[in-house]
Amino acid sequence: NGAMVGLNATANYLTVIGGQVYLNSALTVQAGSAYFSGLAAQGAITIQAGANATLDNVMWTAGKINNTGNLILSKTIQYAGDFYYYATSTSASLSATGSVTATDGSIFHFSGQGNAEGSYNNGTVSVEGSFATSADVNVDGVLQIAGGALATAKGNIKTTKDIIVTKSGMLIAAINSTAMNISTNANLVVNASSQVVVQGSLSVASTIQLGAQSTLVVAKGYATSAALTMDAASKYVVTVFSNTTSRVLNVINNAQLSGSLEVDIDASFTFGVGQTQTVMTYGAHAGTFATFSIKRDPDSVNYGTKSATVTRGTESSSSGMESDAFVPQLAILPIAFLAYFF
């Protein structure tokens, strides 16, 4: 709104076309606070330590965002270039409060501390809006989805510390693909009416912790964790679709079972009377599911030494509750966010 100081107009750093500002070269925020709105970047943006920057309705198509200060992604952000966040503070954070789209071929890398040659396990990426990505998302620290949604249509998600999904948040891999991967070197913590939907693969080095009102959906995907704990108000949903192929949650060590089991039968699969299907494998287990439901009349849930199974009974002898297929709560997502996947 005021004068731009220190701009060398002859260097053609900025171009204004029809009210749109284009960044043609590198831009550095050395100190203070900067707010960018309606900016299309074709060069690098650097936010130095101690400085602050907010990107609002920004699109960049080339170059890198190198951030050692504090950065907030606000409203609608779209990028096809490379995003690198390297912070010098051990408590560094990146907040995505709006709608962020990472297009195919781009790179998203967050490091709480370090540089391109080496990084350390600090800092937090917090997704409070919608983050749709066809790029790999690498977080050297904690990934928190707090009331927002992070979904990958093509890229993989990898963290060195916990993945936390809370405040009715959603983590999806992926809506229409079975090739995407989510992995963490620590825990997956899901609570407060939040959901994790696995149609690709999920790998958790430590423990999947399903808290109150949380849901883990394994829908024809692969899910592996060293351990599992379930709150009495949590839910595990699994899709049965083949007599020969089992894609369920595999708990390597102990599974602490509780809450609800919901089994969805794929429309292409016939689950005959007397047949048994595996719904979870484990090294050992404690507890049982408090309730279970299945689309087509189960007789019982059976707990073996290494797996839990369900058996189809006759309609008259069924002790289970008939259920429709589980549908992730996609209605909470913005239309533009969903349109990215379909």
Side-chain angles (χ1 to χ4, degrees), residues 201-247:
S201 71
L202 170 68
S203 177
V204 179
S206 186
T207 303
I208 295 177
Q209 302 173 20
L210 298 182
Q213 308 301 323
S214 66
T215 302
L216 172 64
V217 183
V218 180
K220 297 186 181 181
Y222 297 91
T224 302
S225 179
L228 169 70
T229 61
M230 295 184 65
D231 182 86
S234 65
K235 180 185 291 187
Y236 168 58
V237 182
V238 62
T239 299
V240 173
F241 65 97
S242 171
N243 274 323
T244 57
T245 302
S246 179
R247 296 182 185 176

Side-chain angles (χ1 to χ4, degrees), residues 223-228 236 238 246-257 277-285 289 302 304-309:
T224 302
S225 179
L228 169 70
Y236 168 58
V238 62
S246 179
R247 296 182 185 176
V248 299
L249 174 59
N250 174 29
V251 182
I252 298 171
N253 299 313
N254 188 61
Q256 181 67 49
L257 304 179
Q277 293 290 330
T278 299
V279 293
M280 182 186 296
T281 62
Y282 40 68
H285 87 280
F289 298 109
N302 314 297
T305 57
K306 296 297 182 181
S307 66
T309 61

Side-chain angles (χ1 to χ4, degrees), residues 274-298:
Q275 287 186 347
T276 296
Q277 293 290 330
T278 299
V279 293
M280 182 186 296
T281 62
Y282 40 68
H285 87 280
T288 60
F289 298 109
T291 62
F292 71 93
S293 59
I294 196 168
K295 189 176 180 182
R296 302 181 193 173
D297 302 317

